[in-house]
Amino acid sequence: MTTTTRAEARGRVEAPRRSRQGHAGMVGGAVSKYVILTVASAITLLPLVVLVITAFKTKREFATTGPLQLPKDWFNFSNFVTAFTDGNMAVGFRNTTFVLIVSLFGTIVIGSMTAYAVDRFEFRFKKVVIGLFLVATLVPSVTTQVATFQIVNGLGLYDSLWSLIALNLGTDIISIYIFVQFMQSIPKDVDEAAMLDGANKFTIYWRVILPLLKPAIATVVIIKGIAIYNEFYQAFLYAPSPENAMISTALFAFKGPYGSQWQIISAGALLVIIPTLVIFLVLQRFIYNGFTQGATK
């Protein structure tokens, strides 16, 4: 009886102690979490902060101040004017917009029709075709550059914007997989109901399936659009003429006459970033929804 009473008393003493230790552990975990997130955010945003500060500095300020020292005049937009006019960025934005629109339209049509055939039709070697799509994603693109260049040159597309459009249309396996993932969530009963109403296969695709793929189309447009917008290597290699400059190669041109004027290069980089940032902020919920729906398949 005495032993039981002592054990109960010891338990009443240790219970609050364990409770305090548990609470301290939770607080410590929360503090560590926020410290790690703060450090990671600072590391991620530091280059962008330096870019913004540098873009508003004069040449003398850039040479005499540190990278994190604020500019004297935040309304100094001369670097942006110089970058846009002397860097011929208007041509870069025009060419990029043309390539972007045509490439995205072709990607949506080709990708959705390919996904429709793969998901809705049964044919010989279907698994082989799907496996080849997977193999194509695993082959490093740099290993096929010589053959790709010879094909583009043989088609007479070298040094034209159509070479970039052809390359963007022919290497987009990821978009096909995104469309297939979304199409698998559409019941095949919808197809059968349309067939009972007299619709053929193309009518089902165009009037039934394609409108239901709006979330997938939005996801592909955002992911593919950002990739095309930021693409530098293809534009530099296959469209080297100044009249065919993309926005990425127009920015690279500042390495020539403006090689030492980093304040102008920073202003040009900000002009390139702004459209992508605005589009991403407006349409970001489609990206998250697309990845979430694709992950639950």
Side-chain angles (χ1 to χ4, degrees), residues 28-46:
V31 171
S32 302
K33 178 177 67 176
Y34 285 108
V35 168
I36 293 172
L37 291 175
T38 303
V39 172
S41 300
I43 294 174
T44 304
L45 293 176
L46 183 61

Side-chain angles (χ1 to χ4, degrees), residues 119-120 183-197 204 208-209 212:
D119 185 65
R120 288 300 202 258
M183 204 168 291
Q184 288 176 349
S185 65
I186 301 175
K188 294 184 178 179
D189 296 342
V190 176
D191 300 33
E192 296 173 357
M195 291 180 67
L196 291 176
D197 292 336
I204 295 173
V208 178
I209 300 297
L212 294 176

Side-chain angles (χ1 to χ4, degrees), residues 145 149 158-159 163-164 232-240 249:
Q145 283 304 310
F149 185 86
Y158 177 71
D159 200 11
S163 63
L164 306 178
F232 171 79
Y233 178 73
Q234 290 182 357
F236 184 73
L237 180 62
Y238 293 101
T249 53

Side-chain angles (χ1 to χ4, degrees), residues 64-77:
T64 57
T65 60
L68 293 177
Q69 189 170 347
L70 300 180
K72 294 180 180 178
D73 184 10
W74 282 101
F75 294 96
N76 175 28
F77 295 105

Side-chain angles (χ1 to χ4, degrees), residues 13 32 40 42 60 86 89 136 151 173 195 227 270:
V13 171
S32 302
R60 182 180 178 83
D86 296 353
M89 296 186 72
I151 293 173
I173 307 301
M195 291 180 67
L270 280 183

Side-chain angles (χ1 to χ4, degrees), residues 8-20:
E8 291 177 350
R10 191 182 303 114
R12 286 195 295 269
V13 171
E14 291 181 353
R17 184 183 304 169
R18 288 196 295 268
S19 177
R20 288 194 296 272

